[in-house]
Amino acid sequence: MRNKLFSSALVAVALLVGAISQASAAVVHYTGTGIWDSQAPTTDFSAGGKSWSFSFDLDSPASNPSTAATNFTYTLDGNLLGLSLDAITFYSSADFGMFKLTLSNGVNLNFFDTAQTDIGSTGVLSTGTWNVEVESYVGPFDTRVHGTGVVAAVPEPSTWAMMILGFGAVGYVAYRRRRVAMA
């Protein structure tokens, strides 16, 4: 009786956690860090040899480009810049993969990886870590701004909690079956 009650409680907790996190289970946290080439011009988002970083959260995009990104930050050499993210456009593998960030100052930062990874053009976000090249063009003569870095995309904590809870439930069932078989 006690084991049946414990199993029922475990299922109830799993359903509760699933219901609570269902609305935001598809949110992915993107981060990127890197360095602009030494020849990069000094702009409001780049400087030669300086580091850059960004982060934002994105629910599975209902459209491409998407304006659903939240909590956007961008830093240049450790200094937080007052730029916001107007849109993110995902590229298919045929278009060399990755994505473009359209910033509030009108600049487009294009991120590409050598594997031409499609991480969201179909509306399904991929998670992982990628080595990227970032570029933009500025000024009347389209001066190329180039840099390299790493972009990572990880599920939000509630997704991890659901996965860990699921592994725990599977482990408990395996433990109980082994214990019953020995009796």
Side-chain angles (χ1 to χ4, degrees), residues 10-182:
L10 187 62
V11 168
V13 168
L15 290 173
L16 179 64
V17 170
I20 291 171
S21 66
Q22 181 179 8
S24 62
V27 173
V28 176
H29 181 70
Y30 286 86
T31 60
T33 59
I35 297 183
W36 291 109
D37 286 349
S38 59
Q39 298 85 13
T42 300
T43 68
D44 55 351
F45 67 92
S46 68
K50 301 294 184 184
S51 63
W52 54 266
S53 69
F54 71 84
S55 70
F56 62 90
D57 298 326
L58 184 66
D59 199 344
S60 292
S63 63
N64 192 19
S66 174
T67 57
T70 58
N71 302 322
F72 178 76
T73 61
Y74 184 87
T75 64
L76 179 61
D77 208 28
N79 299 313
L80 184 63
L81 302 181
L83 299 173
S84 59
L85 182 61
D86 287 347
I88 179 170
T89 304
F90 290 97
Y91 297 125
S92 68
S93 296
D95 293 325
F96 305 108
M98 298 307 285
F99 57 87
K100 169 179 72 176
L101 300 179
T102 302
L103 303 180
S104 57
N105 61 356
V107 168
N108 291 320
L109 295 179
N110 297 290
F111 292 83
F112 302 102
D113 73 335
T114 56
Q116 300 178 353
T117 308
D118 183 342
I119 65 169
S121 72
T122 61
V124 177
L125 298 177
S126 298
T127 58
T129 302
W130 304 276
N131 292 318
V132 296
E133 297 204 14
V134 58
E135 70 178 10
S136 186
Y137 294 90
V138 296
F141 303 109
D142 285 335
T143 303
R144 181 174 184 243
V145 181
H146 182 265
T148 57
V150 175
V151 171
V154 297
E156 70 169 5
S158 67
T159 304
W160 285 104
M162 286 292 292
M163 185 176 67
I164 291 168
L165 187 62
F167 283 137
V170 168
Y172 177 75
V173 168
Y175 167 77
R176 290 293 303 149
R177 285 189 178 174
R178 186 181 64 163
R179 193 168 171 207
V180 168
M182 291 181 1

